[in-house]
Amino acid sequence: MVHHFSHIPVLRDEVVSLYASAPAGVVVDATVGGGGHSAALLTAYPALSIVGLDRDPVALVAARERLGVFGDRVTLVQAPFASFGAAVDGDLSGVLFDLGVSSPQLDQADRGFSFRQEGPIDMRMDQTAGRTAAQLVNELPEGALASLFRENGEGRLAGRIARAIVAARPLTSTGQLAEVVAAAVPAAVRRKGHPARRVFQSLRIEVNDELGQLAAALPVALERLTVGGVCAVISYHSGEDRLSKQIFAAAATGGCTCPPDLPCVCGAVVRHQLVFRGARKASALEVATNRRAESARLRAIVRTVAG
């Protein structure tokens, strides 16, 4: 299991550079995975320690092995990242979110994340709790399925795919689900890439409440930063990136509601500043060696004022 979690962290060097000026203290790696980003931060900055969170117990086993060399500078906790405010005490020097599913999780057929491998339709980050993707596929009304797919980019094909899934129930394996989706769309769409990719992504995001988790966690992370502390988010899905952008933009303006070309009169207090405008992407070289980096988007913000 640990072997399967050996992987290269996306945008590792860019992430490490963000924390160069962070004050000594604790950085929460809210999605620690196999510990790649944490290991890089601990190696680069001896004054930092890590609290690593993950819902996936298999990931925590891998992280514990990889980060064991750093001794008591590392604390690992099994928890969803939305609960880190309760799991970690005190002000923070940084928070890092590397969202989505990891390559090792995709590679394990029995996790059900991949449409390319035969396995149960599970998709839970924590396989000991919560409803599975199979329950969504086999129990949600057609309209709810269509809305779920539409929200994640399927557009006009969402209803067509939902109808096909309902007609094929019950579905018990990822292979069955992928075949039903592929058969439901025109051949021209299939030639552009496997049509099940977005369907599987939609189900995974819903099963793990990934957008809800992010919406709950990011404001807490920003509030808990000490002055000079950095919060960074790596997202792989437009919904995640859009939500991160909105929350960071609100923080960087103090929630000001005044017209942008007029002085602020609403009393907003700005306590954060964007580290850079927009989102950074992986280089062509990194994408060539790690295809998962192709869709990655990195955003970062720093705390500038106490209060």
Side-chain angles (χ1 to χ4, degrees):
M1 283 183 170
V2 173
H3 171 74
H4 291 308
F5 254 91
S6 298
H7 69 292
I8 302 171
V10 170
L11 292 162
R12 180 190 59 195
D13 294 343
E14 288 81 357
V15 167
V16 170
S17 69
L18 288 174
Y19 294 87
S21 60
V26 175
V27 172
V28 174
D29 188 342
T31 48
V32 69
H37 286 116
S38 287
L41 289 170
L42 291 165
T43 299
Y45 308 121
L48 295 180
S49 60
I50 292 285
V51 174
L53 308 182
D54 209 292
R55 284 192 278 190
D56 188 341
V58 179
L60 289 175
V61 171
R64 188 168 292 110
E65 180 171 297
R66 186 167 192 173
L67 302 176
V69 66
F70 297 102
D72 60 7
R73 292 175 63 199
V74 177
T75 302
L76 298 176
V77 181
Q78 184 176 353
F81 57 74
S83 69
F84 86 82
V88 185
D89 295 327
D91 292 337
L92 301 173
S93 298
V95 184
L96 171 64
F97 297 88
D98 183 11
L99 304 173
V101 65
S102 70
S103 298
Q105 287 168 325
L106 284 170
D107 292 340
Q108 296 175 35
D110 64 336
R111 302 300 299 269
F113 289 111
S114 176
F115 58 84
R116 300 184 187 280
Q117 301 190 69
E118 184 74 16
I121 310 173
D122 194 319
M123 305 190 196
R124 291 173 297 172
M125 299 292 185
D126 178 1
Q127 289 187 295
T128 68
R131 58 182 178 173
T132 67
Q135 289 174 279
L136 299 185
V137 165
N138 290 307
E139 296 173 8
L140 281 183
E142 181 182 313
L145 276 176
S147 296
L148 178 60
F149 300 150
R150 193 173 296 112
E151 290 167 4
N152 285 277
E154 284 299 346
R156 61 185 179 83
L157 294 176
R160 188 169 176 169
I161 293 170
R163 283 193 298 274
I165 288 174
V166 170
R169 286 172 173 171
L171 295 168
T172 59
S173 76
T174 53
Q176 284 180 308
L177 177 58
E179 288 176 6
V180 169
V181 174
V185 303
V189 174
R190 294 197 294 272
R191 286 194 290 270
K192 296 178 181 178
H194 203 298
R197 181 177 64 84
R198 284 197 181 121
V199 169
F200 274 59
Q201 184 180 66
S202 301
L203 291 168
R204 189 206 79 221
I205 289 172
E206 181 69 15
V207 163
N208 296 289
D209 187 29
E210 294 176 30
L211 294 178
Q213 288 269 317
L214 186 61
L218 265 186
V220 176
L222 298 183
E223 183 62 29
R224 293 284 297 277
L225 290 176
T226 190
V227 173
V230 175
C231 179
V233 178
I234 304 173
S235 58
Y236 303 86
H237 175 262
S238 59
E240 297 168 341
D241 184 55
R242 184 164 50 250
L243 181 56
S244 301
K245 177 182 178 180
Q246 291 169 348
I247 293 174
F248 280 8
T253 62
C256 179
T257 57
C258 301
D261 55 341
L262 295 177
C264 176
V265 295
C266 69
V269 179
V270 178
R271 297 189 175 91
H272 300 81
Q273 179 180 322
L274 298 178
V275 178
F276 47 82
R277 295 187 65 82
R280 289 185 177 172
K281 303 178 183 180
S283 67
L285 178 61
E286 180 174 2
V287 172
T289 57
N290 183 5
R291 290 302 301 273
R292 183 170 180 254
E294 185 172 16
S295 60
R297 302 291 182 270
L298 171 64
R299 296 184 184 273
I301 195 167
V302 60
R303 181 75 177 253
T304 55
V305 177

